[in-house]
Amino acid sequence: DVKVTQSSRYLVKRTGEKVFLECVQDMDHENMFWYRQDPGLGLRLIYFSYDVKMKEKGDIPEGYSVSREKKERFSLILESASTNQTSMYLCASSLPRPSSTGELFFGEGSRLTVL
Amino acid sequence: GIQVEQSPPDLILQEGANSTLRCNFSDSVNNLQWFHQNPWGQLINLFYIPSGTKQNGRLSATTVATERYSLLYISSSQTTDSGVYFCAVEMKTSYDKVIFGPGTSLSVIP
């Protein structure tokens, strides 16, 4: 089974802190994604990466950066956390398109609260 | 960018009832997936269905790509079907970039 593991299920941070959210997948997937989920808004794409050291902005990249130094690991970084970044963060991975179906596999999510 | 709409936003069903969830998208897509998010937050892929019809047990899905919509059918609903259902599309102009709709929140009551 594909496993996508997010490092923390629950985090509480203070405004201005630097926050790292880590995601590791064990299926050798090229693509990895970070989404945030807020009530009524569904999942919104922050960043995705289609290869090591490659990244593309999603729909809401402001206030976030990412790092992909190894194929299995994709990190989301909040340089200076703000209260409007309180949210559920979901990591996903997939094989690349069009050579595969592009089926997404998700981690369990990291619920971040910024005080 | 592409717009993805889902209806209804909320749905309450008696156990055993059937339901249809709809996903509309504003532009051509390469791919469409349906997901179920359980009450603990875990997202599970239900269907990969860029076109046509698929069935998996009590669930089935139909995508009519030319008319830009997809339907998810749940028959004989069970309390374990509760959660949020999302459709997600891959834009025609950008392989791999997957955009989600706002979801349909389903509650199945005994």
Side-chain angles (χ1 to χ4, degrees):
Chain A
D1 277 354
V2 175
K3 193 162 179 65
V4 179
T5 304
Q6 295 184 227
S7 54
S8 305
R9 289 299 307 273
Y10 301 95
L11 299 96
V12 180
K13 298 291 181 181
R14 296 206 174 273
T15 301
E17 278 193 79
K18 191 169 187 176
V19 181
F20 292 88
L21 299 178
E22 305 283 340
C23 176
V24 177
Q25 50 94 5
D26 66 358
M27 282 301 291
D28 204 34
H29 285 174
E30 280 80 1
N31 295 339
M32 296 188 75
F33 305 79
W34 276 107
Y35 291 88
R36 68 175 279 178
Q37 182 178 10
D38 300 288
L41 297 177
L43 278 71
R44 292 180 291 166
L45 182 62
I46 306 172
Y47 269 97
F48 71 101
S49 168
Y50 48 91
D51 204 347
V52 175
K53 298 191 187 294
M54 306 302 285
K55 62 186 180 185
E56 277 203 34
K57 292 180 180 179
D59 296 320
I60 52 164
E62 298 79 16
Y64 303 95
S65 62
V66 290
S67 172
R68 189 146 181 222
E69 297 296 320
K70 294 185 177 182
K71 191 175 185 181
E72 67 270 20
R73 186 180 298 270
F74 192 35
S75 303
L76 180 69
I77 303 155
L78 289 66
E79 293 288 343
S80 178
S82 63
T83 55
N84 63 12
Q85 292 178 310
T86 291
S87 186
M88 169 73 91
Y89 290 87
L90 290 153
C91 175
S93 71
S94 73
L95 289 169
R97 297 269 293 135
S99 55
S100 76
T101 63
E103 181 180 350
L104 284 174
F105 295 86
F106 279 88
E108 293 183 319
S110 298
R111 185 166 293 283
L112 172 66
T113 301
V114 182
L115 303 175
Chain B
I2 193 169
Q3 303 298 314
V4 182
E5 299 173 345
Q6 290 187 245
S7 60
D10 301 281
L11 186 59
I12 299 175
L13 292 177
Q14 200 78 39
E15 200 169 21
N18 303 328
S19 64
T20 301
L21 282 56
R22 187 176 180 103
C23 172
N24 292 332
F25 40 96
S26 61
D27 207 345
S28 300
V29 299
N30 290 321
N31 187 358
L32 186 142
Q33 302 180 55
W34 281 98
F35 292 87
H36 175 227
Q37 186 174 41
N38 66 25
W40 297 271
Q42 181 68 52
L43 274 153
I44 302 296
N45 189 294
L46 297 174
F47 292 103
Y48 157 78
I49 184 164
S51 63
T53 297
K54 290 188 177 179
Q55 177 142 13
N56 184 0
R58 296 180 295 104
L59 272 58
S60 64
T62 295
T63 297
V64 183
T66 53
E67 297 186 22
R68 301 181 184 169
Y69 73 88
S70 183
L71 302 173
L72 178 69
Y73 306 96
I74 304 174
S75 64
S76 303
S77 58
Q78 301 176 356
T79 55
T80 51
D81 295 331
S82 296
V84 184
Y85 290 82
F86 293 100
C87 71
V89 301
E90 177 191 281
M91 296 164 57
K92 199 87 168 174
T93 54
S94 175
Y95 276 121
D96 297 312
K97 184 175 179 180
V98 179
I99 304 298
F100 280 72
T104 291
S105 178
L106 173 65
S107 297
V108 181
I109 54 177

